[in-house]
Amino acid sequence: AVQASGAAFGPIDVWVGSDGYVHRVRVPTSVGTGGQAAKTTLTMTLSRFGGGVSGVSVPPASQTADASQVTIPGLGG
């Protein structure tokens, strides 16, 4: 689906700390279809490596959705 959309990625920026871990990743994306164009940038900041996880629970199935078969208008199917 990504190839069919004509999406382009990059350049991808990665920040590696002195501890050897990746601390930030930035991925610019552009897509154009039907004379329309869109650009986005996803930035992920990572921290607390090796730390415990708290305050997170799996939601009940009634509050989730399977998005594996979802199509996004303009990105093909």
Side-chain angles (χ1 to χ4, degrees), residues 35-48:
Q36 300 289 323
K39 293 183 179 186
T40 63
T41 299
L42 170 68
T43 302
M44 295 177 283
T45 302
L46 310 166
S47 62
R48 298 187 59 169

Side-chain angles (χ1 to χ4, degrees), residues 57-67:
S57 60
V58 177
S62 63
Q63 294 181 1
T64 66
D66 179 358

Side-chain angles (χ1 to χ4, degrees), residues 2-30:
V2 172
Q3 286 180 331
S5 73
F9 301 91
I12 298 172
D13 296 317
V14 179
W15 287 260
V16 179
S18 59
D19 56 6
Y21 289 106
V22 173
H23 286 263
R24 181 173 290 160
V25 178
R26 182 170 49 210
V27 183
T29 306
S30 61

